[in-house]
Amino acid sequence: MLLEDQRFLSEDIERLESAIADRIGEEPKHIRDRLNRDHQVSGFLTRIQDQSKRLLEIYHDAEGLRTKEVQAISTGDPFEEFYKHLGEIKDFHRRYPNEPVENLERAYKRKAPGEGESATAEIDNMFTGEEAFGKFLDLTTLHEDYLNLAGVKRLSYLQYLDSFDIFVPPQCPIKRPDKTTDHYFAYVGRLATYLEDFLRRTAPLQDLDKLFATYDAAFETAWQSDSVPGWNKDTSIPGPAAPTTEGTGEGIWCPDCLKEFKNDNVYKAHLSGKKHLKAAEARKTNSNANGSTSSVLNPSPVHHLKERAIAEREFRISKLASTLSSERVATRVNVERKQGMTERERQMELDALFAETPSDLPAAHDSDSDSDSSEKIYNPLKLPLAWDGKPIPYWLYKLHGLGVEFPCEICGNFVYMGRRAFDKHFNEARHIYGLKCLGVTNTGLFREITGIEDALKLWEKIVRDKRVEGGKGEGVVQMEDAEGNVMPEKVYYDLQKQGLL
């Protein structure tokens, strides 16, 4: 019965809307519960779209079945039609006696914690321990794949986190011919796929397809205008006669040595060096062997398509990295923090992350958990608190010297605990602002200076020395002898008195 299907679909859509409203009205405290809620809402929205498409097909009635059914009910004997459908229903249940009945009210209703709400096992399996439910990126496997590429420098994981989205020299040592290899193509494909998948897992309610479509449109525009970084058309013949400006874009780029020169004279002088001649010969040999010169000037369709695919992946990785900039910074901070932890502390942190949240426990234990959380932590030594709210180990406290106080008068007599925090604060905004209030503009020369009087004395000395140096070149009278030699007036008269002129 199409009318019954129409009623069922309409009811299902209303139930789904009510379920979404119930879940959006609450804001979970734990990130796992929030992700579970967002993925549930995303699944409900997808089901609403599917059910709406089926409902629209019924309303359009392309084959006219709905119209015939309405006419049969309205024109014929209503009791005859009723008993006809009743017989069909009984016949169906006679043939399928164990057919389950879907209860929409119970299917989408949000259950209380004590009513057996389904566990978040799906969310637990969706993220690795390093990702911490979407807080951080897990690029360890991709870092190993990067180190296995040909022609790359060995980078630490922290350095890789800072440069995995940079594909132009001098930050990226991979040359353009090496980028067309299968290993590099597979690497950028895995990296782009991971970033897209991570974004879909952490933001299921965002319209990511629309976001990715803007990336594709931006790449098409950049590719047509030949402005994709690292993939500009090079119509010059490889050699020292046609330097290109790459790298930082401020100097002269040597395509043979893959090096940037700030000075034109230094660039011209290095052209006759053995290293440059050897690199130019090797590049010319590779170009002749691989046909790269002809492929650049007249690229084959297959080579052009491969370059375009690799450039599209690099462009997408750069865009995704900018979108995930906050997670990227948090990942770097987390990696640095874990480097100072023991294996036991890392395991404890991982166990605490995957432990059951208070929302999964019965409501009867809420009062007990509140009383436990309100207990005061025993901390007689006044040690700083770690990530779990407990004092850090005493050996770590002594190792970093956190018991040593370093006051800074320029920062308003602020006291920094530990040498590391004290050294770091010279580049922070508070210290720089304090120096600017004293009239100091060159703050780099005032490291380790914390007193206002010392800073003022040093600044006065720097200003005085600059004035003296500036005055040396002023007021000097130049004299010229008969041979055209120019010299200061004092030297001229001294030589004249000695009869040397």
Side-chain angles (χ1 to χ4, degrees), residues 9-24 41 44-45 47-48 52 108:
L9 293 174
S10 300
E11 180 188 0
D12 194 18
I13 292 174
E14 291 181 2
R15 297 284 186 187
L16 288 168
E17 292 176 352
S18 177
I20 292 175
D22 293 340
R23 285 159 176 79
I24 293 296
V41 172
F44 291 161
L45 292 174
R47 183 172 173 83
I48 286 177
S52 299
Y108 306 133

Side-chain angles (χ1 to χ4, degrees), residues 113-114 357-373:
T357 59
S359 61
D360 299 329
L361 301 177
H365 300 287
D366 289 346
S367 59
D368 297 337
S369 60
D370 294 338
S371 61
D372 294 338
S373 61

Side-chain angles (χ1 to χ4, degrees), residues 72-216:
I73 296 175
S74 58
T75 57
D77 186 3
F79 291 101
E80 180 182 355
E81 193 69 23
F82 170 77
Y83 285 113
K84 177 183 177 183
H85 290 301
L86 180 61
E88 293 177 357
I89 293 173
K90 288 183 178 180
D91 182 62
F92 175 83
H93 285 285
R94 189 180 304 109
R95 284 184 286 122
Y96 305 101
N98 297 325
E99 182 71 16
V101 180
E102 186 176 7
N103 191 344
L104 298 181
E105 185 177 2
R106 296 186 59 185
Y108 306 133
K109 183 180 179 181
R110 183 173 179 83
K111 299 178 182 179
E115 296 180 6
E117 177 74 15
S118 60
T120 57
E122 182 181 355
I123 302 298
D124 295 341
N125 299 329
M126 193 176 294
F127 296 94
T128 63
E130 194 70 24
E131 290 175 337
F133 298 113
K135 291 182 181 179
F136 315 115
L137 299 171
D138 186 7
L139 301 177
T140 51
T141 306
L142 294 166
H143 176 230
E144 294 177 0
D145 295 342
Y146 174 80
L147 295 179
N148 292 327
L149 295 177
V152 300
K153 298 179 181 178
R154 187 163 189 85
L155 301 177
S156 64
Y157 187 53
L158 286 175
Q159 292 173 333
Y160 178 73
L161 286 174
D162 293 334
S163 61
F164 72 85
D165 61 331
I166 302 176
F167 302 99
V168 294
Q171 291 88 349
C172 180
I174 304 176
K175 302 178 183 179
R176 181 169 177 174
D178 296 335
K179 290 185 176 182
T180 56
T181 59
D182 295 337
H183 293 291
Y184 184 80
F185 182 77
Y187 161 71
V188 293
R190 286 192 296 269
L191 181 56
T193 303
Y194 170 77
L195 294 177
E196 288 183 11
D197 180 64
F198 182 85
L199 198 57
R200 290 185 184 277
R201 286 180 290 151
T202 55
L205 296 182
Q206 292 186 11
D207 192 358
L208 298 180
D209 293 333
K210 183 178 180 180
L211 178 64
F212 297 153
T214 59
Y215 293 166
D216 296 336

Side-chain angles (χ1 to χ4, degrees), residues 197-339:
D197 180 64
F198 182 85
L199 198 57
R200 290 185 184 277
R201 286 180 290 151
T202 55
L205 296 182
Q206 292 186 11
D207 192 358
L208 298 180
D209 293 333
K210 183 178 180 180
L211 178 64
F212 297 153
T214 59
Y215 293 166
D216 296 336
F219 172 76
E220 289 291 338
T221 304
W223 185 261
Q224 294 296 332
S225 61
D226 192 24
S227 59
V228 180
W231 295 95
N232 299 329
K233 294 180 181 178
D234 185 11
T235 57
S236 62
I237 299 175
T244 58
T245 300
E246 294 186 11
T248 59
E250 299 176 355
I252 303 175
W253 178 261
C254 178
D256 298 324
C257 302
L258 296 179
K259 188 177 180 182
E260 188 177 20
F261 296 89
K262 300 292 184 181
N263 195 326
D264 186 44
N265 295 329
V266 177
Y267 168 76
K268 292 179 179 178
H270 104 284
L271 294 178
S272 58
K274 294 182 180 180
K275 186 176 180 181
H276 174 81
L277 295 176
K278 185 177 179 180
E281 185 66 24
R283 186 185 181 205
K284 186 176 180 181
T285 304
N286 294 334
S287 301
N288 294 333
N290 302 328
S292 62
T293 304
S294 60
S295 65
V296 170
L297 297 176
N298 298 301
S300 63
V302 177
H303 184 76
H304 183 75
L305 288 175
K306 191 169 186 179
E307 283 191 342
R308 177 188 172 89
I310 296 173
E312 191 272 334
R313 282 163 173 77
E314 291 183 352
F315 187 85
R316 175 163 290 204
I317 289 170
S318 302
K319 290 292 186 180
L320 290 170
S322 62
T323 304
L324 298 171
S325 58
S326 58
E327 288 82 359
R328 183 179 182 177
V329 174
T331 303
R332 179 178 176 82
V333 174
N334 182 58
V335 172
E336 291 179 342
R337 181 179 61 85
K338 283 191 173 183
Q339 288 178 351

